[in-house]
Amino acid sequence: MSDEQQPASEGALAEHNRRAVARQRLEPRPATERFKEQMLTLMNEFERDRRAEIIAAGGDPDEDRDPFEYTRLIADRWAETEKDPERRAVLVDELAQDLALDEIRAIRLMAEAAAAVTPRLIYEDVDEGMSVTQVADDLGVSEGYVYRILRQRPAADQ
């Protein structure tokens, strides 16, 4: 590039870049979003390399894994997209590609089991002194829900 083509200052460079972005109709992404993407990429690369090293050494890379890790990831992403229909639609598309029918069946049945066991866990935690507020926060439900479960508690469980 000749001296005539080089921008004269940082301000001119910034203006040049702004115009180039505008011509291409690209939306500039915030730095935090770019940073997050770069960090996720690095973490995925690290995880892939770590798994390869463990397998090469004859180990089981899933030995120390939380069995609910993927379930929590889905739940967290579902909660994050609650108020953003576009992001929720993207998540649904991703899950439809990632999950098979037998996995959906297992998740659905696990959700039914979780719903059935929830009242017992509420009773136990409250009986052990946990506040209704803490129980509600841990479950991700309203305090009213916890109070309703406590009101419906069978006399034999009290």
Side-chain angles (χ1 to χ4, degrees):
M1 187 185 285
S2 70
D3 290 338
E4 294 168 358
Q5 293 174 327
Q6 290 181 347
S9 68
E10 284 188 35
L13 179 61
E15 179 61 22
H16 168 76
N17 289 342
R18 187 192 63 73
R19 287 182 182 163
V21 167
R23 276 194 308 275
Q24 296 173 23
R25 292 198 167 102
L26 298 174
E27 290 294 322
R29 293 188 350 239
T32 54
E33 184 178 322
R34 291 191 316 265
F35 176 74
K36 177 180 165 187
E37 288 175 7
Q38 290 171 350
M39 289 303 297
L40 288 173
T41 299
L42 288 172
M43 290 186 329
N44 287 335
E45 288 175 12
F46 172 79
E47 182 66 18
R48 188 175 50 250
D49 292 346
R50 177 184 126 347
R51 289 180 64 80
E53 289 173 6
I54 293 171
I55 290 169
D60 179 0
D62 295 322
E63 187 175 279
D64 65 340
R65 292 249 180 216
D66 175 359
F68 291 104
E69 183 176 3
Y70 189 57
T71 305
R72 286 188 180 97
L73 174 66
I74 292 172
D76 290 345
R77 291 186 65 204
W78 189 258
E80 289 171 4
T81 62
E82 180 179 18
K83 296 180 180 166
D84 187 342
E86 290 178 18
R87 285 183 59 214
R88 176 67 60 93
V90 168
L91 176 59
V92 168
D93 290 342
E94 289 174 6
L95 291 174
Q97 290 178 346
D98 291 347
L99 297 171
L101 289 176
D102 62 332
E103 293 167 326
I104 293 296
R105 177 183 183 274
I107 292 169
R108 186 179 49 75
L109 292 173
M110 190 168 74
E112 290 176 14
V117 77
T118 297
R120 283 192 190 175
L121 296 176
I122 290 173
Y123 304 152
E124 289 173 11
D125 287 346
V126 169
D127 289 349
E128 291 174 7
M130 187 179 280
S131 72
V132 168
T133 302
Q134 183 62 46
V135 171
D137 288 346
D138 287 354
L139 278 174
V141 298
S142 69
E143 290 179 27
Y145 173 83
V146 174
Y147 281 118
R148 185 172 72 245
I149 296 295
L150 292 172
R151 281 193 305 272
Q152 295 171 349
R153 185 177 189 171
D157 290 342
Q158 293 184 17

